[in-house]
Amino acid sequence: MSTTELPASPEFKASHAELMDGVYRWQRHIYDLTRKYYLLGRDRLISGLDVPVGGTVLELGCGTGRNVILAARRYPDARFYGLDISTEMLETASAAIAREGLVDRVTLAQGDATAFDAGALFGVERFDRVFVSYSLSMIPGWEKTISAALAALSPNGSLHIVDFGQQEGLPGWFRALLRGWLKKFHVTPRESLREVLESESRRTGASFRFRTLYRGYAWLAVIGQSHTTPQPSVPL
């Protein structure tokens, strides 16, 4: 497993990296234990990746490595790559991957998910699957992450996303409490996520599937690149 660093980033990107390192410097040690109770839908995303034999998979915002490790176990014939802006999180992910004996199949790199050079970081230009789990709600300029992810897909690849929804089927008091809690960690559910994904699927001529989970607590989406003409939005 290798960890590669990007060249110097613009000032605002460096500031965000410092912010994330500060947020997770201590939290990373208990992150997976605590987040499993409210980062819902992650395992459903992983089970739906359907990675081809010998395929390549990139996770943007890989954090502690929890998701990429589970995906690597589920798809033992694939190669996995993880990108995160936080060196603190990457330190935890590297240790976890080593403990799991996945060093030969998982490569990590430090970088900005809104603008990255996969070839320079990983030696791989295109991926069969790219997934983003509960990271778009923490990334400034998150829309650029979607564009960058789609640009990194192989011709028949697909982008898989799970993140906080708008809790549209849940009581108002619950939404208020959740938003207040998430704000402490610089997390903002993206109200326009579905619209942006639909727009990107039309732009790229890809299929688009979308599903609300747990009464809108989470949103799960897949953009496929296997079509040459725009396809309608269909449920997952």
Side-chain angles (χ1 to χ4, degrees):
M1 177 184 58
S2 63
T3 302
T4 311
E5 293 191 2
L6 281 174
S9 301
E11 184 175 330
F12 83 94
K13 294 179 181 179
S15 297
H16 185 59
E18 292 173 1
L19 174 63
M20 291 298 98
D21 278 343
V23 169
Y24 292 117
R25 182 162 290 116
W26 304 114
Q27 280 195 50
R28 62 192 173 96
H29 301 295
I30 59 170
Y31 185 92
D32 291 331
L33 179 63
T34 58
R35 266 55 175 187
K36 69 180 181 179
Y37 297 108
Y38 64 90
L39 298 187
L40 308 178
R42 295 180 296 172
D43 294 346
R44 186 177 300 205
L45 178 151
I46 291 169
S47 67
L49 289 175
D50 193 23
V51 182
V53 174
T56 52
V57 182
L58 170 64
E59 181 181 12
L60 298 177
C62 65
T64 63
R66 183 262 188 194
N67 296 325
V68 76
I69 287 172
L70 289 180
R73 289 178 187 162
R74 186 178 183 92
Y75 306 101
D77 297 315
R79 290 277 310 180
F80 290 84
Y81 303 86
L83 181 77
D84 204 282
I85 202 168
S86 169
T87 56
E88 298 286 344
M89 283 298 217
L90 287 173
E91 181 180 337
T92 295
S94 296
I97 289 165
R99 285 195 303 270
E100 294 292 328
L102 294 171
V103 170
D104 294 334
R105 293 182 49 224
V106 182
T107 301
L108 302 179
Q110 185 200 16
D112 184 350
T114 67
F116 58 92
D117 184 340
L121 291 171
F122 302 114
V124 178
E125 296 289 344
R126 296 289 183 268
F127 302 87
D128 297 297
R129 303 288 184 268
V130 177
F131 71 96
V132 193
S133 172
Y134 285 95
S135 292
L136 293 179
S137 51
M138 299 190 70
I139 298 175
W142 59 274
E143 299 93 340
K144 294 180 181 179
T145 297
I146 295 170
S147 299
L150 291 172
L153 286 177
S154 62
N156 293 317
S158 55
L159 169 62
H160 302 247
I161 293 170
V162 66
D163 213 314
F164 291 106
Q166 293 298 297
Q167 300 84 48
E168 54 270 27
L170 295 168
W173 63 263
F174 180 88
R175 292 198 300 271
L177 284 175
L178 179 64
R179 296 302 179 89
W181 171 253
L182 294 177
K183 189 175 181 180
K184 296 177 183 294
F185 302 101
H186 307 278
V187 176
T188 304
R190 305 306 186 186
E191 183 177 1
S192 61
L193 177 60
R194 180 170 187 169
E195 288 77 11
V196 170
L197 293 175
E198 285 184 314
S199 176
E200 284 295 293
S201 67
R202 289 193 297 269
R203 180 182 67 82
T204 59
S207 62
F208 176 61
R209 293 179 290 159
F210 183 89
R211 184 172 185 174
T212 62
L213 304 177
Y214 315 110
R215 298 172 65 185
Y217 180 91
W219 288 349
L220 179 65
V222 179
I223 297 180
Q225 292 288 67
S226 58
H227 301 280
T228 56
T229 57
Q231 301 294 312
S233 170
V234 296
L236 285 166

